[in-house]
């Protein structure tokens, strides 16, 4: 299996879509050619209208035409039937290839009272492999992360907005989710932002290997990084740890039985 160039776009939060699009272009220009890249969750402060979401998708397609591969547009709130939903689209140069939505909005920060529950993770093909998207706190549910792994994902991307005082937890979570699914697990975290309760969100994006080792952790400011992922590590680890095969009987077509 090939090596995959994965681009982390650890973006800060913006209030204006135009500013956000400029920042996305600037960050993407530092990556060079990649097979797969991702933005964080909640990089835009407010929900997008239908027209704005269409504009964001078109901009993503233009960015990918330079980057190559597939770009995960992070997580953003979009108005659906008059209520915000946390969405993540994976975009290629030809259009949207996949859409995930947050299944369980956070109860701890009150998101659940304002944001509608979504459909959960998604999976998609990218040059060299297959990837899944699990949005932010949905990664706390091992059952949700298991779904893209059973559907063949080599890399599970977790666009997130985790406060600095909880990064210790996401470090452990990334290692656990990577090892129990024998995948690369990539937390792409927001930078330069604050929760309503004043806690800071300061980056520290993380990539963990299929054996649960942290192979990179970024700093605390807006930045980018390209990580080379050797997908052969997945096959080697699964020879020893057949976790997915062991539990497959409890699932039906990659989706858990009711």
């Amino acid at each position: 299996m090939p090596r995959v160039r994965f681009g982390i776009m650890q973006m800060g939060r913006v209030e204006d879509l135009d500013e956000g699009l400029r920042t996305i272009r600037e960050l993407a220009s530092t990556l060079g050619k990649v097979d797969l890249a991702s933005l964080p969750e909640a990089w835009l402060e407010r929900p997008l209208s239908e027209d704005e979401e269409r504009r964001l998708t078109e901009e993503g397609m233009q960015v990918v035409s330079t980057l190559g591969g597939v770009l995960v547009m992070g997580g953003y709130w979009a108005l659906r039937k008059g209520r915000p939903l946390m969405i993540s689209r994976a975009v290629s140069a030809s259009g949207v290839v996949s859409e995930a939505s947050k299944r369980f909005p956070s109860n701890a920060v009150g998101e659940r009272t304002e944001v509608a529950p979504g459909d959960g993770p998604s999976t998609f093909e990218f040059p060299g492999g297959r990837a899944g998207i699990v949005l932010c706190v949905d990664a706390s549910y091992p059952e949700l992360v298991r779904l893209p792994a059973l559907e063949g994902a080599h890399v599970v991307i977790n666009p997130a907005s985790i406060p600095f005082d909880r990064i210790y937890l996401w470090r452990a979570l990334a290692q656990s989710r990577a090892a129990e699914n024998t995948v690369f697990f990539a937390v792409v975290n927001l930078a330069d932002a604050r929760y309503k309760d004043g806690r800071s969100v300061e980056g520290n994006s993380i990539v963990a290997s299929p054996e649960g080792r942290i192979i990179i952790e970024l700093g605390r400011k807006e930045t980018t990084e390209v990580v080379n992922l050797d997908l052969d590590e997945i096959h080697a680890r699964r020879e020893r740890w057949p976790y997915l095969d062991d539990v497959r009987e409890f699932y039906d077509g990659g989706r858990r039985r009711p």
Side-chain angles (χ1 to χ4, degrees):
M1 299 178 79
R3 285 182 177 267
V4 167
R5 284 175 56 83
F6 174 62
I8 301 171
M9 300 168 70
Q10 185 172 282
M11 182 176 170
R13 179 174 286 164
V14 298
E15 296 182 5
D16 177 71
L17 180 58
D18 287 332
E19 181 186 359
L21 296 179
R22 285 193 299 271
T23 302
I24 290 169
R25 287 192 293 267
E26 290 168 4
L27 293 175
S29 70
T30 70
L31 294 176
K33 292 290 185 181
V34 294
D35 303 295
L36 184 63
S38 181
L39 292 157
E41 185 197 53
W43 53 265
L44 185 63
E45 188 134 335
R46 60 171 179 80
L48 293 175
S49 68
E50 185 176 340
D51 287 344
E52 288 174 324
E53 187 177 18
R54 185 181 303 110
R55 185 178 168 210
L56 173 62
T57 299
E58 291 171 352
E59 181 68 30
M61 293 166 61
Q62 292 181 17
V63 168
V64 173
S65 67
T66 301
L67 287 179
V70 174
L71 173 62
V72 175
M73 303 300 295
Y76 56 88
W77 292 288
L79 291 174
R80 301 288 172 86
K81 298 181 180 179
R83 191 175 178 192
L85 191 69
M86 179 57 78
I87 298 291
S88 181
R89 283 182 170 176
V91 177
S92 72
S94 58
V96 177
V97 298
S98 187
E99 180 177 292
S101 50
K102 187 184 287 185
R103 181 68 185 87
F104 297 111
S106 174
N107 184 64
V109 299
E111 185 184 35
R112 192 166 292 190
T113 64
E114 301 174 358
V115 178
D119 293 330
S122 69
T123 57
F124 60 91
E125 303 286 339
F126 68 92
R130 189 167 177 81
I133 305 170
V134 178
L135 275 159
C136 199
V137 74
D138 274 358
S140 296
Y141 301 86
E143 300 86 351
L144 292 183
V145 181
R146 185 76 80 188
L147 298 178
L150 286 170
E151 292 174 351
H154 304 103
V155 183
V156 176
I157 300 170
N158 179 224
S161 53
I162 301 302
F164 183 70
D165 70 342
R166 290 290 182 266
I167 284 295
Y168 76 91
L169 178 59
W170 243 248
R171 222 176 262 125
L173 187 148
Q175 293 178 279
S176 297
R177 297 295 174 264
E180 68 197 13
N181 293 293
T182 50
V183 296
F184 288 96
F185 191 88
V187 180
V188 182
N189 203 38
L190 185 67
D192 300 328
R194 286 194 177 273
Y195 275 30
K196 291 179 180 179
D197 63 12
R199 288 181 295 163
S200 61
V201 184
E202 302 182 23
N204 294 96
S205 297
I206 298 162
V207 180
S209 76
E211 65 175 355
R213 294 180 184 272
I214 292 178
I215 56 179
I216 192 169
E217 181 171 339
L218 273 58
R220 296 167 65 176
K221 296 295 182 183
E222 183 173 276
T223 189
T224 62
E225 188 69 56
V226 175
V227 187
N228 290 307
L229 308 179
D230 185 354
L231 300 190
D232 282 335
E233 289 185 36
I234 296 172
H235 176 72
R237 189 50 45 194
R238 289 179 181 176
E239 286 284 300
R240 295 178 60 85
W241 294 351
Y243 301 148
L244 291 180
D245 286 341
D246 288 345
V247 301
R248 200 175 294 275
E249 66 179 291
F250 299 110
Y251 291 76
D252 183 15
R255 293 290 168 180
R256 196 161 190 246
R257 296 180 188 136

